[in-house]
Amino acid sequence: MGKLAWGLIGGGEGSQIGPAHRLGAGLDGLFTFSAGALDHRPDAGRAYGQRLGLAAHRAYGDWQEMLAGEQARDDRVDLVTVATPNATHFEITKAFLEHGFHVLCEKPMTMTVEEGEEIVRIARASGRICAVNYGYTGYSLVRHMRAMVARGDLGAVRLVKAEFAHGHHADAADADNPRVRWRYDPAQAGISAQFADCGIHALHMASFVIGQEAERLSADTVSCIGSRVLEDDAMVNLRFDRGAVGRLWTSSVAIGRQHGLTLQVFGEKGGLRWSQEQPNQLYWMPLGGRLQVIERGETGLSPEADRTTRVTIGHAEGMPLAFANIYKDLAEAIRAQKENREIDPAANLFPRAEDGLRSMAAVVAVAESGKSEGAWKDARPPMFRDPAGDSSG
């Protein structure tokens, strides 16, 4: 089978996320960039798409034009990535799923839990893949952490500590910067700022690694810069569905922190520590043993780690390659569906619509708890509170 066709919505010129998606989709030669609607300004989007190599008739002015154009083609795109502003994710993802396209949506998948539940139902009913770009779970050693937990190296997980704290919004004088202001504006960001932007990455990674979902949470949220309506710092306590305890801190005013995504997992028989800023090293401390450094690319790692490493040991692999691993998973899933076969288990790790829905439910629970002096809230979406409703989540 030849390359799969890929289309991008959003991610136009000057976008922070667009280049990472284009690099990720193209890295392994599995997808061809075939179509795009890259800018909210139609002429600018068409021109930029053509500069990137799109044929003029597939460099579309908006997503509606792209949907109509691709739907009519025999060689239509196999996968559509939605990298537009948050408030548009639901409408675009829903439309493409309903017309038979596989979708990778940037997070947050939706702005409400109800919208998230609708996307999950549509994806399940249509049989189309709906993935959500929690791209940091594409890192090789994050996947090795998951494999170590799953095979019992740590024993039962007792505690997981996740952080995503940076200081890039710490300057109160930056309040009118449009690239910052929208994040704290309920009309554009919804009910949460920092937790919805960064905290859900940390929460999803914790759940991904330990194989447990957040069941209840208690949150302390604050706007350290008083002019902000939405929070710029949050501390969240979590209880997971198989007994683990979680502690999560997320902040945008932590001066001196750069990216700040870290994860620590503590079990009966050992502990693990990983940081996105030093992604090639995983620290493993077995109970009663000595601290060990596991290097990305070394021999003897799990199939999940081996499948997602490309560069020889000692060389850095960064965020675009982590994104590429999500695209590599999706290519395998789409091919498996086309060929009516089972997906490679080591590739069956991409975040799904169910994960996007759980994240949105957690956002709502954090916002409600923060307004209620840290009252404990149910972190599960309503459709998953009945086990029968979570049959494939």
Side-chain angles (χ1 to χ4, degrees):
M1 182 181 293
K3 290 185 180 183
L4 299 169
W6 173 64
L8 176 63
I9 301 172
E13 191 166 15
S15 162
Q16 294 180 346
I17 204 68
H21 278 290
R22 295 197 304 274
L23 287 168
L27 187 65
D28 293 306
L30 300 172
F31 289 97
T32 297
F33 184 26
S34 301
L38 305 180
D39 199 294
H40 68 281
R41 300 163 299 172
D43 290 343
R46 291 189 185 100
Y48 186 51
Q50 289 178 63
R51 289 202 301 275
L52 292 175
L54 293 180
H57 62 286
R58 298 183 82 178
Y60 298 100
D62 56 42
W63 71 264
Q64 293 95 336
E65 182 184 342
M66 179 170 163
L67 176 60
E70 292 300 305
Q71 187 182 356
R73 299 182 65 90
D74 292 333
D75 62 345
R76 69 187 202 167
V77 291
D78 296 288
L79 175 69
V80 175
T81 293
V82 179
T84 54
N86 296 355
T88 66
H89 290 178
F90 169 71
E91 180 184 20
I92 300 172
T93 298
K94 178 177 183 288
F96 276 85
L97 286 173
E98 289 178 334
H99 287 86
F101 293 86
H102 301 299
V103 176
L104 170 61
C105 182
E106 264 300 331
K107 61 83 195 169
M109 182 177 74
T110 61
M111 296 288 280
T112 69
V113 173
E114 293 75 17
E115 289 175 347
E117 291 190 337
E118 186 172 354
I119 291 295
V120 168
R121 292 189 182 100
I122 291 168
R124 290 178 174 182
S126 68
R128 299 295 88 183
I129 294 165
C130 181
V132 183
N133 191 42
Y134 293 109
Y136 302 114
T137 58
Y139 276 105
S140 176
L141 290 181
V142 172
R143 296 190 169 195
H144 188 62
M145 291 176 79
R146 176 187 171 99
M148 290 180 70
V149 171
R151 71 193 185 195
D153 292 6
L154 283 72
V157 173
R158 293 169 171 165
L159 174 66
V160 58
K161 182 173 184 288
E163 295 183 1
F164 199 156
H166 64 83
H168 300 302
H169 301 163
D171 188 352
D174 214 23
D176 288 329
N177 181 336
R179 297 186 70 171
V180 175
R181 184 179 61 234
W182 76 268
R183 299 175 186 274
Y184 303 94
D185 177 5
Q188 299 181 73
I191 61 173
S192 171
Q194 180 60 18
F195 186 81
D197 186 28
C198 295
I200 57 174
H201 274 298
L203 178 56
H204 177 262
M205 183 176 286
S207 292
F208 176 82
V209 168
I210 69 173
Q212 301 185 37
E213 301 298 340
E215 193 167 64
R216 297 182 298 127
L217 63 78
S218 168
D220 179 21
T221 61
V222 63
S223 298
C224 293
I225 294 179
S227 62
R228 290 174 176 164
V229 177
L230 299 176
E231 87 287 348
D232 51 26
D233 188 279
M235 182 69 77
V236 184
N237 291 311
L238 299 138
R239 298 294 185 269
F240 289 88
D241 57 3
R242 291 170 53 196
V245 173
R247 313 292 188 202
L248 189 156
W249 173 49
T250 186
S251 181
S252 64
V253 295
I255 297 173
R257 297 290 292 266
Q258 295 302 324
H259 189 268
L261 177 59
T262 64
L263 186 69
Q264 298 177 78
V265 182
F266 305 101
E268 297 172 318
K269 300 190 294 185
L272 291 167
R273 173 167 54 91
W274 179 85
S275 171
Q276 198 269 164
E277 292 181 30
Q278 292 84 36
N280 277 5
Q281 288 79 40
L282 171 62
Y283 295 89
W284 161 234
M285 181 73 176
L287 179 67
R290 300 183 65 180
L291 182 65
Q292 302 173 26
V293 181
I294 298 171
E295 293 279 351
R296 183 206 51 78
E298 69 181 39
T299 59
L301 298 185
S302 60
E304 294 88 340
D306 289 342
R307 187 180 184 277
T308 51
T309 189
R310 298 172 182 79
V311 181
T312 54
I313 189 169
H315 296 82
E317 287 192 6
M319 182 263 280
L321 275 74
F323 278 32
N325 287 330
I326 302 295
Y327 279 100
K328 189 176 182 181
D329 291 346
L330 288 169
E332 165 61 12
I334 293 168
R335 290 181 188 280
Q337 192 175 105
K338 286 175 175 284
E339 296 165 5
N340 195 28
R341 60 172 174 81
E342 293 296 319
I343 185 174
D344 178 354
N348 198 17
L349 299 177
F350 59 90
R352 289 164 164 79
E354 289 82 0
D355 299 298
L357 170 58
R358 290 191 182 97
S359 294
M360 195 63 237
V363 168
V364 172
V366 165
E368 291 178 348
S369 178
K371 292 177 180 177
S372 306
E373 300 295 324
W376 284 88
K377 300 292 182 179
D378 197 323
R380 301 169 298 174
M383 73 181 294
F384 291 169
R385 294 176 190 178
D386 175 5
D390 196 13
S391 58
S392 67

